[in-house]
Amino acid sequence: MERNSSDDEEEDHHHLIPQNDTRSRHRQDPPSSSPAAANGTSSFQIEDILSSRRKISLNKRCYVLTAVVALTISIGLIFLFTDLRQLNLSGFKLDPLSSRVRDSELRALYLLRQQQLQLLSVLNATTNSNSSDVRFAVSKQIELNKEIQEALLSPHKTGNYSGYDEPVVINSYDRCNKVDQKLSDRKTVEWKPRSDKFLFAICLSGQMSNHLICLEKHMFFAALLDRVLVIPSSKFDYQYDRVIDIDRINTCLGRNVVVSFNQFKKNRNPRINRFICYFSSPQLCYVDDEHLKKLKGLGVSVEGKLASPWTEDIKKPSKRTVDEVQKSFKSDDDDVIAIGDVFYADLERDWVMQPGGPINHKCKTLIEPSRLILLTAQRFIQTFLGNNFVAVHFRRHGFLKFCNAKTPSCFYPIPQAAECIARMVERSNGAVIYLSTDAADSETSLLQSLVVVDGKIVPLVKRPPRNSAEKWDALLYRHGIEDDSQVDAMLDKTICAMSSVFIGASGSTFTEDILRLRKDWGTSSTCDEYLCRGEEPNFIAEDE
């Protein structure tokens, strides 16, 4: 602990008060009849007194001489047996105040050391992954404890001394561990379709992320009904083959389980024999007249009317089982059936949410970014981010009204969001933040200035505009898909899915699809969370 020299040299001044003040008192000798007594002390008595005083003086001199000799011999022995070049006398002080300060510092060091050992014991005994917040808090206190110890020790360090030699060992603890997906516990079904039976996927609600989740659920339906899944045409739905590899799905299963719409219509009349609606309200199949016209424009005829085998409300979906689906949607007499829309379907949620999904296959996941997008994401990470970065999906556009309609709201003021992000960056020890956002520059600039950890601004990185000097995105340009908004969105998802820690936007299917990829790829972290989890916005606007 550093102190000012004036503090070290300051002494208390005391007024010394004599406690045993003795003054010479004349003692009257008792009367004596001797003549000598009447005249004072005799010559014999004077001689005795002088002789006694000489003896006392001689004894004192002997004591002093003995002490001097002993001190001289001691110093000689020290010089004889001590290498003065290795003796550090710079810290030797006679100041009693400094001595007391040193004793206090050593006592504080002892107490801190005991506290550190107790904290380590508590931390190492906390192995439950659900207590990661507690473990992080304890580890931060251990770090602070060690810093205080080092600060107290710094004035006393001499030579090669560097504090405690033993390292602080935290048993099998990382700030943000990877999640154990327990793949051996997966419950799956086999997908072995009949080559002449087809399921036409109908996915209409929301944006691309919704459609990809819907498509994965359609695969589950196709597996349960022993049918080949038909991927919709880009004239009716999104152009899936730009963002995912359709043929790879067949490779993962080891058989043909999916076909594109163009492959489907090559050798047969594109006709839907039965159009089954998963939801009966508020609108059958979630299909409007415009989409039915698009189907007819593709040459697809629909036999019969739209119908639902049960009463199911899209706003309050019921939990359904495999047996219920097989019983209600089984249609052996129909070669081609269509089921729509199943995005909100709550079918065997535990199966669907498993790593890799509910279908048995040899890949990590069935629906993942195309090879071009995957390689481009890896090149971007190698160029700008490195292996330790935090990814944030910061949804803003159109999110204010959407979030404020929920309880609690999920739209946070920029300063509050910055605090939440900074806490996670500190916890994960991330070097940089990748920002996937639709926010305006005014918002991201403010966010950048407020994300501070240990007094330093943490860089926020967004994908930059095209620059011919940069080669990380060359594959996209080479294949002519650089300006596709869906490719850009999938690239953002891929980068976020590869991050050390991911912070998502609550209520966003874009976030949910990233979490699905992280779960399937095994990149999920115990620190993954929604932005400002457990907090409410510190300010919420009134309704219109």
Side-chain angles (χ1 to χ4, degrees):
M1 180 183 297
E2 294 184 0
R3 296 174 56 91
N4 293 331
S5 58
S6 59
D7 294 334
D8 288 337
E9 295 172 359
E10 183 179 354
E11 295 182 356
D12 296 327
H13 300 285
H14 299 282
H15 295 286
L16 301 179
I17 301 175
Q19 308 226 348
N20 295 312
D21 190 10
T22 59
R23 293 177 173 81
S24 61
R25 295 173 183 171
H26 300 283
R27 184 177 56 184
Q28 293 183 358
D29 294 330
S32 174
S33 58
S34 171
N39 295 325
T41 305
S42 68
S43 59
F44 177 78
Q45 289 174 320
I46 292 173
E47 286 291 326
D48 289 343
I49 292 171
L50 292 174
S51 175
S52 176
R53 288 180 178 177
R54 290 192 192 100
K55 290 180 181 179
I56 294 172
S57 178
L58 180 61
N59 289 339
K60 286 183 178 179
R61 290 174 183 176
C62 289
Y63 293 148
V64 171
L65 181 61
T66 302
V68 170
V69 171
L71 178 61
T72 304
I73 293 173
S74 300
I75 294 174
L77 290 173
I78 292 174
F79 274 87
L80 180 62
F81 294 106
T82 304
D83 185 356
L84 292 179
R85 290 173 298 178
Q86 297 180 358
L87 184 64
N88 187 356
L89 299 177
S90 61
F92 183 78
K93 295 182 179 180
L94 296 178
D95 185 359
L97 179 60
S98 298
S99 178
R100 290 197 300 272
V101 169
R102 177 181 174 82
D103 290 343
S104 298
E105 289 175 349
L106 293 176
R107 176 63 178 169
L109 279 169
Y110 171 77
L111 294 175
L112 283 170
R113 183 60 174 164
Q114 296 304 308
Q115 182 195 51
Q116 183 187 61
L117 294 174
Q118 291 296 321
L119 287 171
L120 280 170
S121 177
V122 172
L123 181 62
N124 292 332
T126 308
T127 56
N128 189 344
S129 61
N130 293 330
S131 60
S132 59
D133 291 340
V134 176
R135 291 172 62 77
F136 173 69
V138 174
S139 68
K140 289 294 292 182
Q141 292 305 309
I142 292 175
E143 292 176 3
L144 179 60
N145 175 289
K146 192 172 186 300
E147 289 181 13
I148 296 173
Q149 291 185 56
E150 289 298 324
L152 286 170
L153 281 169
S154 59
H156 307 287
K157 291 180 180 179
T158 58
N160 296 324
Y161 179 75
S162 60
Y164 298 115
D165 292 332
E166 64 270 24
V168 177
V169 179
I170 301 175
N171 293 341
S172 65
Y173 174 66
D174 188 5
R175 286 176 170 178
C176 295
N177 286 317
K178 295 301 179 186
V179 175
D180 181 7
Q181 300 294 354
K182 299 179 180 179
L183 297 177
S184 59
D185 298 336
R186 285 183 65 206
K187 187 176 182 180
T188 59
V189 296
E190 297 293 332
W191 189 1
K192 297 181 178 180
R194 294 172 54 180
S195 60
D196 59 341
K197 300 295 181 180
F198 298 90
L199 170 61
F200 202 101
I202 303 293
C203 297
L204 302 175
S205 60
Q207 303 299 317
M208 171 64 91
S209 296
N210 299 50
H211 288 226
L212 291 174
I213 295 172
C214 173
L215 196 62
E216 186 179 34
K217 291 184 177 182
H218 267 298
M219 292 180 183
F220 192 19
F221 276 83
L224 295 176
L225 301 175
D226 300 325
R227 291 179 176 270
V228 175
L229 185 66
V230 180
I231 305 297
S233 167
S234 60
K235 295 180 181 179
F236 179 76
D237 202 341
Y238 288 107
Q239 190 170 350
Y240 290 104
D241 59 0
R242 281 202 164 197
V243 294
I244 62 175
D245 190 344
I246 305 298
D247 292 333
R248 179 184 165 278
I249 299 173
N250 292 326
T251 303
C252 292
L253 271 296
R255 63 186 72 93
N256 290 329
V257 293
V258 296
V259 295
S260 66
F261 177 76
N262 291 333
Q263 292 172 324
F264 166 71
K265 71 176 185 179
K266 272 185 180 179
N267 301 320
R268 63 186 54 82
N269 182 21
R271 178 175 56 188
I272 297 175
N273 303 116
R274 185 184 176 193
F275 205 128
I276 309 172
C277 299
Y278 187 93
F279 291 99
S280 58
S281 63
Q283 185 178 10
L284 281 173
C285 292
Y286 211 70
V287 175
D288 54 18
D289 292 338
E290 182 180 352
H291 282 92
L292 290 175
K293 291 178 180 178
K294 286 184 177 181
L295 281 177
K296 292 179 180 178
L298 292 171
V300 179
S301 60
V302 179
E303 297 179 357
K305 296 181 179 180
L306 305 183
S308 178
W310 51 37
T311 300
E312 190 72 35
D313 189 346
I314 199 170
K315 295 181 180 179
K316 297 179 180 179
S318 304
K319 293 183 178 180
R320 298 292 183 174
T321 65
V322 167
D323 292 338
E324 287 178 304
V325 168
Q326 290 177 330
K327 179 180 177 181
S328 301
F329 292 86
K330 201 77 171 178
S331 185
D332 292 335
D333 296 335
D334 299 311
D335 293 337
V336 182
I337 65 172
I339 301 178
D341 180 317
V342 298
F343 171 73
Y344 294 101
D346 190 358
L347 170 64
E348 300 287 5
R349 182 175 179 81
D350 292 341
W351 290 27
V352 173
M353 297 303 294
Q354 293 176 116
I359 299 171
N360 185 26
H361 57 84
K362 59 184 180 182
C363 299
K364 290 183 177 180
T365 184
L366 290 179
I367 297 181
E368 72 173 21
S370 67
R371 183 67 177 167
L372 289 178
I373 294 176
L374 192 62
L375 289 174
T376 301
Q378 292 174 354
R379 292 180 177 185
F380 180 86
I381 292 172
Q382 184 178 357
T383 302
F384 295 100
L385 304 173
N387 67 343
N388 183 26
F389 69 98
V390 175
V392 179
H393 175 217
F394 194 54
R395 172 78 183 271
R396 303 297 279 183
H397 182 69
F399 222 44
L400 175 59
K401 188 174 181 179
F402 168 80
C403 282
N404 283 357
K406 301 172 61 177
T407 304
S409 174
C410 53
F411 192 89
Y412 297 90
I414 297 291
Q416 185 178 1
E419 289 181 5
C420 296
I421 294 171
R423 284 199 301 268
M424 184 53 68
V425 171
E426 180 182 18
R427 175 176 176 179
S428 64
N429 200 29
V432 68
I433 299 170
Y434 178 70
L435 192 63
S436 173
T437 185
D438 55 4
D441 289 342
S442 56
E443 292 184 82
T444 56
S445 296
L446 178 59
L447 183 68
Q448 171 65 93
S449 66
L450 294 175
V451 179
V452 178
V453 176
D454 292 334
K456 298 179 181 179
I457 293 178
V458 182
L460 299 183
V461 178
K462 294 192 295 182
R463 284 189 295 107
R466 170 64 178 169
N467 187 334
S468 59
E470 297 173 359
K471 301 303 180 184
W472 63 268
D473 56 353
L475 288 174
L476 302 184
Y477 278 82
R478 197 179 304 162
H479 290 81
I481 56 174
E482 71 282 358
D483 294 325
D484 191 306
S485 61
Q486 298 308 321
V487 172
D488 287 343
M490 184 58 80
L491 180 57
D492 258 8
K493 282 184 185 179
T494 309
I495 295 171
C496 290
M498 292 180 172
S499 64
S500 302
V501 172
F502 173 65
I503 302 174
S506 177
S508 167
T509 53
F510 189 91
T511 282
E512 295 304 319
D513 204 33
I514 293 171
L515 293 174
R516 175 189 67 83
L517 281 173
R518 290 178 65 79
K519 167 173 57 69
D520 292 353
W521 283 348
T523 58
S524 294
S525 164
T526 55
C527 294
D528 289 355
E529 65 178 28
Y530 297 119
L531 180 65
C532 296
R533 180 184 62 181
E535 294 184 30
E536 294 189 14
N538 57 31
F539 187 88
I540 301 177
E542 297 179 356
D543 294 334
E544 296 178 3

